[in-house]
């Protein structure tokens, strides 16, 4: 895999008439937007260190506490205080970049540097679409979202269950879900840190699906997890357990505090970033102590509380600045950075798209390496929508095209002085050889966007964007063909699931 | 007027229950996104100069040709070739920044430097709203858009007629329109360069409305115009005539080639920018020769042709890069830069907002000083919509808030270490004195955005964004009160309009 070369296997069109941009690992060429001056970066760093050494963090996982105590941290009950020297020594072990290789090696992704990969929405309890309205998530809908995840080249993997399938009993849900994720997609999959059985089963299933021995599996990152701290300043038992299990097997862990400014974090962005950093760095230090060099990333997720409704507001200008600040701090610590494509709007309408655009562009401006919830998220993460999924993918395609050097190349051939001379005043570039030579590849092709004038658009039914996205989503699902899978690996995966179900799965 | 201090007079709420951000002249603190390296900037400059010296530009205005000939340019019929030395000497006279002062001095705006001011949509022939659908523009709708222009603090002036009032006869249309613009708003107004009578009448009316003598009027910029070249490489008669008349009276002229990549300009962004630069710089050089130091700005407007429909596509990733390149070139020449808030979508839906967000954010990234068509534009500029106007203003408010230093301030007080210590692990920042002290000003207040959870939103009617924007637009119009105006000036303005109507106005 190289950064700019599409892996040929992944470049199927979306459907009969629906084209799309090629699979690639996007590389962000822009200099990040950096609101903080160097002194402010130092102030934020010092604040995070003072939080960790002076206030400490509550670790509700006794094993983690014991490990940190052995590492020399000051422990008082579940409160752990760690000094700057320890934190910085541990962070020094963290790799600045790594890859994650799913069962199809052509779908390997790169994390860190200037790369920006995109994962589909994860964990909404509800689904909504134009036809059926809102309802609790179910397994059939879960599978449909996996089909969308697989179909779009601009989506590099799953960041969790794209909708929570409430109709599958909790003890075996992870088995059914991982099985579908590993068979309906060949992209990077996700393991929830929700108890030892779930995380170990997920790793085992990823190993089996890829036909790997345990040592081959652990030789490089194969699947990812994300843990959230309980802001302010608390790590829960199961999240830390899952993170430690993943790190021990060399699998990537993203630590993303959910810092709700004005409620679980300071109302000021700089304060929320400082708190968030302290929470994330404490977990990352733990993981690096357990396995130096374990692949990890820093997550930033700072909506703010709406004082009127108590809800979380996403995609605000303040969140954008918070994301950019987090980018500066991630580079200061040499850590890959995770962002999110979040919005507050309950419907795939104008508000949804300006909030999502703000989230996405701030991720670009921050130099984020991973975009979670990049497609399909609605209503503060409470709802997954196929229309929003398709519309988000259009924005992602545009961003990925925006990253391409050809969009801003300015060689003599690009400047086209000869063509300008040949066309001359009053002429036309339409059909000129310079235009023809670049043709269809000159511009990002639309997916749901309708570029026709009003009359042509109205004559064709006057269909708004959400309805067009709905139809495209339906067409993709109707034409979906699952990716190829090794017959033997699939059989072994089925047997594993059956056996673990017989054993009762995981505690609810 | 200072940059950060709101002019108190302009800070009325939008309506009974509709709050808004204060009037201010936004200052963009971000370092621009610069896709071109210094060599590429030089290549684009050299290409523009070679176009002007080697290919030349068609000037369909004989007066302009004669002036340029006298200035030493090489003239052959209507083809004018100008050398780099002449162009650069002339551009050296152009001011890097200037102000425009409308009849209410508290509404003075600053052009250049890091300022970014916003003008409402201009010149669509049609209007559309959720209630009445699409129809040809008329005078009543024209007046409603002026009321929106006046009501929103984030809009700094009119960039033309917000919709073309087809029910007013062409010879007197400019008189009726300017009268409404100058009385329903007290913000910067616009003069169309569509013939000597229209541009002179507009300047005269702006002078009268402000109660100024001719010499007071000419002492500083009071009203603006924009001219478009006819790409490729042609300037028409009336546009140049208007530009020259404005420059002679010290009034600002923006020169904005409409470069449709793949049709009237090269399909490559760098080529389209080079062509566009040559066209704009030739007119700017002419204006600086006529009046050295005349206030001018460089416009960039590079949609691309949709090969399927022949329509112009706005808000694409390629356009974003074109805008950023134009920003680099504007800084190279020391000229203020104009951008546009354009989109292709025919309705105020998801597509409209992602296209507009791309246009707006690329203007920010480019360091643009003026955002034309910043609110209300739909369907490639063929339609003005009050819903889109309100929705765009929400995005503009967010951008203007994003610019504020308080959104990214990171002093010790912002980092809030003491508050973090007091709240401690597991506590809440909700109601803490640090949160209370910042309170409502901590975050950009929503305008149409609904931040409530799904249940509360659904219980309140499940209203989508465009419908909410429609209602807000209606409420603003219902509650509108025109700005104060000097009685004597208004009387004189009425007499001027009556006299000019008697004289027959301007040729159709």
């Amino acid at each position: 895999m190289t950064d700019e070369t599409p892996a040929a296997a992944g470049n199927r069109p979306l459907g009969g008439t629906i084209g799309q941009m090629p699979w690639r690992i996007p590389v962000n060429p822009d200099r990040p937007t950096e609101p903080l001056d160097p002194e402010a970066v130092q102030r934020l760093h010092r604040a995070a260190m003072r939080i960790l050494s002076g206030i400490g963090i509550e670790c509700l996982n006794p094993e983690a506490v014991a490990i940190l105590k052995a590492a020399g941290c000051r422990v008082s009950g579940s409160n752990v205080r760690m000094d700057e020297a320890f934190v910085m020594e541990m962070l020094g072990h963290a790799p600045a970049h790594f890859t994650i290789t799913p069962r199809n090696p052509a779908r390997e992704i790169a994390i860190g540097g200037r790369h920006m990969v995109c994962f589909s929405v994860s964990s909404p309890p509800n689904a909504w679409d134009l036809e059926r309205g809102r309802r609790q998530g179910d397994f059939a809908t879960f599978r449909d979202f996996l089909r969308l995840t697989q179909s779009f080249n601009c989506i590099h993997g799953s960041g969790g269950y794209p909708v929570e399938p409430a109709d599958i009993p909790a003890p075996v849900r992870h088995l059914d879900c991982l099985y579908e994720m590993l068979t309906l997609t060949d992209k990077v999959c996700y393991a929830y840190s929700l108890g030892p059985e779930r995380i170990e089963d997920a790793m085992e299933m990823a190993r089996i699906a890829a036909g790997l021995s345990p040592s081959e599996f652990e030789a490089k990152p194969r699947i990812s997890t994300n843990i959230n701290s309980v802001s302010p300043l608390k790590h829960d038992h199961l999240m830390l357990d899952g993170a430690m299990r993943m790190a021990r097997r060399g699998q990537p862990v993203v630590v993303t505090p959910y810092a709700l400014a004005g409620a679980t974090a300071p109302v000021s962005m700089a304060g929320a970033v400082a708190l968030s950093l302290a929470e994330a760095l404490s977990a990352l230090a733990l993981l690096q102590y357990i396995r130096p060099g374990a692949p990890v990333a820093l997550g930033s997720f700072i909506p703010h509380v709406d004082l009127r409704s108590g809800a979380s507001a996403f995609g605000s200008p303040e969140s954008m600045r918070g994301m950019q600040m987090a980018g500066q701090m991630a580079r200061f610590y040499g850590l890959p950075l995770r962002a999110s494509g979040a919005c507050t709007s309950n419907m795939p309408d104008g508000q949804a798209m300006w909030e999502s655009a703000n989230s996405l562009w701030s991720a670009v401006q921050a130099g984020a390496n991973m975009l979670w919830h990049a497609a399909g998220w609605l209503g503060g993460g409470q709802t997954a929508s196929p229309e929003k999924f398709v519309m988000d993918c259009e924005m992602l395609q545009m961003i990925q095209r925006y990253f391409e050097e050809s969009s801003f190349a300015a060689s003599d051939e690009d400047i086209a002085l000869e063509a300008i001379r040949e066309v001359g005043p009053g002429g036309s570039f339409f059909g000129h050889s310079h235009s023809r030579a670049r043709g269809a590849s000159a511009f990002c092709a639309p997916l749901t966007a309708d570029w026709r004038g009003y009359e042509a658009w109205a004559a064709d039914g006057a269909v708004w964007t959400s309805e067009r996205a709905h139809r495209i989503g339906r067409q993709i699902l109707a034409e979906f063909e699952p990716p190829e899978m090794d017959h033997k690996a699939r059989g072994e995966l089925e047997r594993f699931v059956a056996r673990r179900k017989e054993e009762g799965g995981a505690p609810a």
Side-chain angles (χ1 to χ4, degrees), chain A:
Chain A
M1 182 201 70
T2 62
D3 293 345
E4 301 273 12
T5 313
N11 286 331
R12 287 188 301 197
L14 272 170
T17 56
I18 308 172
Q20 67 171 324
M21 303 280 284
W23 164 273
R24 81 275 243 197
I25 307 301
V27 177
N28 180 351
D30 287 358
R31 185 207 300 257
T33 300
E34 304 205 312
L36 300 174
D37 61 30
E39 292 71 32
V41 169
Q42 286 294 336
R43 274 198 299 280
L44 276 174
H45 165 61
R46 282 199 306 272
M49 294 301 122
R50 287 178 64 189
I51 291 167
L52 288 177
S53 65
I55 304 172
I57 189 150
E58 295 286 321
C59 274
L60 302 187
N61 184 303
E63 184 191 0
V65 173
I67 290 168
L68 288 168
K69 187 169 188 177
C73 297
R74 286 164 290 144
V75 169
S76 164
S78 56
N79 182 283
V80 179
R81 302 183 192 207
M82 41 184 82
D83 293 334
E84 176 168 355
F86 171 73
V87 174
M88 294 305 282
E89 185 192 340
M90 293 303 110
L91 295 181
H93 299 313
H97 43 79
F98 54 88
T99 57
I100 311 180
T101 314
R103 67 174 177 85
N104 177 358
R107 300 294 198 180
E108 180 173 287
I109 62 175
I111 310 290
R114 289 182 167 272
H115 298 108
M116 188 177 94
V117 295
C118 301
F119 299 143
S120 49
V121 63
S122 52
S123 309
N126 306 291
W128 177 92
D129 68 53
L130 265 179
E131 209 174 309
R132 289 176 290 175
R134 199 184 200 232
R135 60 202 189 279
Q136 195 173 43
D138 58 37
F139 198 52
T141 309
F142 168 89
R143 299 181 82 229
D144 280 349
F145 278 107
L146 290 181
R147 294 183 178 103
L148 294 178
T149 298
Q150 176 65 14
S151 297
F152 279 98
N153 286 330
C154 60
I155 299 294
H156 300 93
S158 294
Y161 306 161
V163 71
E164 196 68 41
D167 51 346
I168 306 291
V172 299
R173 189 181 297 169
H174 69 288
L175 298 167
D176 283 339
C177 286
L178 260 290
Y179 178 81
E180 297 298 327
M181 214 180 252
L182 287 163
T183 52
L184 283 178
T185 90
D186 62 359
K187 299 179 178 179
V188 166
C189 291
Y190 183 86
Y192 278 96
S193 288
L194 290 172
E197 297 81 2
R198 289 188 179 83
I199 196 91
E200 296 287 357
D201 283 346
M203 283 191 277
E204 201 56 9
M205 289 175 74
R207 181 190 70 74
I208 293 168
L212 301 169
S213 70
S215 65
E216 284 170 339
F217 175 79
E218 293 180 17
K220 55 180 182 172
R222 307 285 186 178
I223 190 170
S224 78
T225 196
N226 178 87
I227 67 167
N228 307 114
S229 45
V230 184
S231 298
L233 295 174
K234 204 183 278 191
H235 284 298
D236 92 358
H237 180 87
L238 295 183
M239 289 277 179
L240 284 184
D241 176 79
M244 292 189 292
R245 288 174 187 275
M246 287 281 282
R248 286 194 181 105
R249 296 189 71 182
Q251 301 305 308
V253 178
V254 184
V255 183
T256 311
Y258 187 133
L260 182 60
T264 67
V267 75
S268 50
M269 277 299 120
V273 171
L275 178 75
S276 195
L277 271 178
E279 295 174 3
L281 298 182
S282 63
L284 295 177
L286 166 69
L287 299 177
Q288 293 302 321
Y289 183 77
I290 288 172
R291 174 155 168 162
V296 295
L298 177 70
S300 179
F301 194 79
I302 312 185
H304 70 80
V305 68
D306 173 22
L307 293 172
R308 287 193 296 184
S309 66
S312 304
F314 295 87
S316 71
E318 295 83 11
S319 286
M320 296 181 74
R321 290 302 193 187
M323 194 66 231
Q324 295 166 354
M325 290 188 216
Q328 291 190 257
M329 300 313 297
R331 288 187 290 282
F332 177 82
Y333 295 113
L335 295 166
L337 176 69
R338 171 208 151 161
S340 300
C343 69
T344 315
S345 180
N346 291 298
M347 292 294 118
D349 60 2
Q351 179 188 338
M353 299 326 278
W354 78 60
E355 289 171 338
S356 293
N358 283 357
S359 294
L360 297 179
W361 283 113
S362 68
V364 171
Q365 294 165 335
N369 303 111
M370 283 179 276
L371 202 47
W372 291 49
H373 309 296
W377 161 301
L378 274 184
Q382 293 301 301
T383 307
S385 151
E387 294 85 0
K388 180 70 165 24
F389 198 112
V390 172
M391 291 161 74
D392 283 337
C393 283
E394 178 126 29
M395 289 207 291
L396 297 177
Q397 286 202 155
M398 287 194 286
I399 288 174
Q400 294 177 8
R401 162 64 182 156
Y402 167 93
F403 285 168
E404 286 181 352
E405 200 186 331
S406 58
S407 74
F408 55 86
S411 70
D412 287 340
E413 171 58 24
D414 297 300
I415 293 175
L417 194 56
E418 276 319 299
I420 293 171
R421 192 186 310 277
E422 285 163 26
V423 168
S428 174
F429 292 85
F430 199 89
H432 185 277
S433 59
H434 183 266
S435 306
R436 283 206 317 275
R438 295 174 178 238
S441 69
F443 302 107
C444 186
L447 187 59
T448 65
D450 193 322
W451 287 345
R452 293 174 297 180
Y454 180 88
E455 288 73 13
W457 169 81
D460 198 21
V463 182
W464 287 44
T465 304
S466 53
E467 171 70 25
R468 295 197 302 271
H470 179 77
R471 293 178 189 179
I472 288 173
R474 299 293 306 164
Q475 186 180 339
I476 292 169
L477 295 180
E479 296 174 354
F480 182 78
E481 288 175 32
E484 285 175 23
M485 187 171 190
D486 178 69
H487 188 70
K488 188 162 154 286
R490 179 189 285 267
E492 198 181 334
L493 197 60
E494 282 166 5
R495 286 189 294 279
F496 179 87
V497 168
R499 175 172 67 77
R500 290 287 298 118
K501 282 188 174 180
E502 271 175 42
E503 292 169 3

